[in-house]
Every structure is written in structure tokens, then in C-alpha cells.
Amino acid sequence: VDDGTEPIADDELLYRRVPASLPWFNPATMRLMPQAFDPHRDRDVTGLSVFRAKYKAIDVAARGRPGKSYYIAVLQAMDIRQAGIAVEPRPHTPDGFDAAHAEMPDLRSDNRKESITLERQRVLVTLCRSVEGPFETPSV
Amino acid sequence: MATAELHTSILPRLDSAVSTGVDATSPATIDAPRVMQSAKWKGWIDDVLLQWLDNPGQLADDDVDPPSGTILRLALDHAEKLRDQGLPAPDSIIPDANGGIAFERRCNDISEVFHFWDDGTIEYHRFRGSHLVERYAI
């Protein structure tokens, strides 16, 4: 039975949340910036977070701060792996269990300034199949 | 920032129009590219960097730390230096997720980036496509 711990299949779609409050995606030009794949210095210790589409609707994956809006960059696991970037299920998060949660362990807090990470961020931009949204997070 | 370092840029530099002194008033002899770039720099400085400095919190979001006033002032100072040296304005000025800021200029598959990291270090990056082909500290 799939519970979020099973390996991510090559044909699975993955969602990366992109804040609409920042100029990381321009809907007029459809240009996505590599900053959308910046590992955070504290929160991406084990890898950059994405969500598995099989477990989470796109508008739910886009939820963030109440009242704010987010885009979703859509990627496919096979594309990421073919680019030499690993993606693994990580349903156990500091905030609890989330079957949809996955990570790219090659992009982490500790290597965020390394050249290979800066290159991988740009590779991920080229791998995006689409950018959807923006989706507004309802105010509480 | 050393001028010599900036001149390593492979993206097209602005060359001033050659003044002949014959006609100093018609639009054809005005240093149009430089004026245009200066206006573009002014937009980045006045409408973006100073706005962010006025309220850095507007850049805070989930998993995103806004730049500090120190980093914003550093970026502002460098924007003014680059403008005064006649260098082309960036295509993008973008906060990163960790309190840093990047100035990026693109030409075909080449991207040049001045990255102001959260710790105050400044780096020049040149990418060809996604490959980082040059990187050094400023």
C-alpha cells in the first residue's frame, strides 16, 4: 500500500511552491528564476522540498502564508533524475507526517553556495514543464 | 569594486556616441544608449532597491528571509557604482531565499550575476546556459 514512503516513480509529477510576492516568476514572460530553487539556510538541511502530485492537489500544494499567493512549478521525476539530481520521498517532516513531501537531497542548506548547486538550480528551471497559478492561500 | 574586474564582462558594454561638436542638439548625437541605461538603473535604484530598503519585510515569505538593511545598502551602493561606470543595467534584480540579492544580466545563453550573499560577500558569476564558467569574489 502506498503511504508516501514508496519510491517516487519516474512518471510522477512534482510540485515546487514559488511565492508570488517575489519576482521569481514573471507571468508576462513566463520566465522562472533559479532563485525558485534556492535551498533555505535553515529549513532545507536534508534537501529542497517538493510535493508529489499523486498525494496533493495543486492548490493545496500551493498553500503558504494566509493571504499570500503562490505559483507551482511542475516537474517530472524522470527529468530531474536524468539531469543527475536525486529526488526521494521524505514524508516525515519537522511539522509532522505528510505523504506528499519529497526532497532533492543534492540541494541542501550546507551546499547552497557551491557552484554545483547554483548550476543545478538553473538546470531545474529548464526542466519545469509548466508554472501554474497563482493560487491564493485563504486568510484565517 | 575594481573597474578592471567589471571590464571582464563579456556582455556588450555601452560605447558612448562619438561627439563631433557639429551638432550637439539633435537626437542623433545624444548619447542615447547611455541615457537609456542610466534611466534603467534609476528605475532599479528608485523603484526597487530603495522601496525594499524602506520595507524589507515585504520580501519575507515562507522559507524566504528578507535581505537586511545592510545587504540592501550594499547592493544600492554597487548599483550606483555600476551605473556611474556606464555599465549596462541588469535585466533582473532578485532577492534570494536567504537574505541575499542578485543582479542578473542576460545575453543569448550567457548570464552574468553579481550576487550579494547574506553574509555580505559579493561574487561575480558567469553562466553559459546552466554551466557556471566563471566565478570569483569581488
Side-chain angles (χ1 to χ4, degrees):
Chain A
V1 177
D2 290 353
D3 60 0
T5 60
E6 78 283 2
I8 298 171
D10 278 345
D11 63 353
E12 280 193 51
L13 294 180
L14 301 165
Y15 296 148
R16 170 70 181 167
R17 196 180 55 175
V18 181
S21 64
L22 300 170
W24 290 356
F25 175 67
N26 183 336
T29 62
M30 296 301 288
R31 177 180 285 277
L32 183 66
M33 303 304 293
Q35 284 78 9
F37 299 100
D38 264 350
H40 187 268
R41 56 189 168 194
D42 301 321
R43 294 185 58 88
D44 291 318
V45 172
T46 54
L48 191 75
S49 291
V50 291
F51 294 111
R52 303 171 72 172
K54 68 184 277 190
Y55 286 115
K56 194 166 274 196
I58 193 165
D59 58 318
V60 177
R63 283 186 191 157
R65 291 193 180 187
K68 292 217 170 195
S69 294
Y70 299 84
Y71 293 101
I72 289 287
V74 182
L75 303 112
Q76 188 167 31
M78 177 176 61
D79 297 336
I80 296 170
R81 289 179 174 138
Q82 284 181 345
I85 302 171
V87 57
E88 298 171 355
R90 294 278 170 78
H92 297 282
T93 78
D95 299 324
F97 186 85
D98 183 350
H101 189 254
E103 288 180 346
M104 290 185 243
D106 293 316
L107 293 93
R108 303 180 308 275
S109 304
D110 69 309
N111 70 359
R112 67 188 172 94
K113 294 184 180 179
E114 291 181 9
S115 296
I116 186 69
T117 303
L118 301 178
E119 290 183 336
R120 282 173 169 152
Q121 289 177 235
R122 285 174 187 261
V123 168
L124 288 167
V125 167
T126 69
L127 298 181
C128 275
R129 300 221 160 187
S130 65
V131 179
E132 308 293 337
F135 303 93
E136 185 176 347
T137 303
S139 297
V140 177
Chain B
M1 186 176 300
T3 302
E5 289 169 340
L6 293 174
H7 288 182
T8 61
S9 168
I10 56 118
L11 297 186
R13 245 184 91 77
L14 290 177
D15 292 323
S16 298
V18 176
S19 172
T20 63
V22 174
D23 177 3
T25 56
S26 72
T29 57
I30 293 173
D31 192 348
R34 189 167 184 122
V35 168
M36 192 172 66
Q37 289 297 319
S38 183
K40 198 171 172 185
W41 273 117
K42 180 173 166 48
W44 284 123
I45 291 168
D46 292 351
D47 301 336
V48 176
L49 292 169
L50 283 171
Q51 295 289 324
W52 289 350
L53 183 61
D54 191 46
N55 178 20
Q58 67 186 290
L59 300 173
D61 211 309
D62 270 8
D63 298 340
V64 179
D65 298 333
S68 65
T70 302
I71 296 301
L72 282 164
R73 282 189 201 91
L74 185 66
L76 262 168
D77 287 347
H78 280 265
E80 289 169 350
K81 279 184 195 170
L82 297 170
R83 176 201 61 195
D84 294 346
Q85 290 171 4
L87 287 167
D91 298 305
S92 311
I93 293 185
I94 307 170
D96 69 23
N98 297 289
I101 297 173
F103 293 4
E104 179 162 338
R105 189 160 166 264
R106 298 175 288 275
C107 186
N108 298 320
D109 70 334
I110 302 292
S111 299
E112 289 185 317
V113 178
F114 287 105
H115 201 130
F116 304 82
W117 292 101
D118 50 306
D119 62 1
T121 58
I122 309 171
E123 289 185 348
Y124 169 84
H125 302 155
R126 181 158 57 93
F127 293 88
R128 177 172 286 117
S130 58
H131 296 289
L132 183 56
V133 294
E134 190 173 3
R135 177 180 189 174
Y136 55 81
I138 302 291

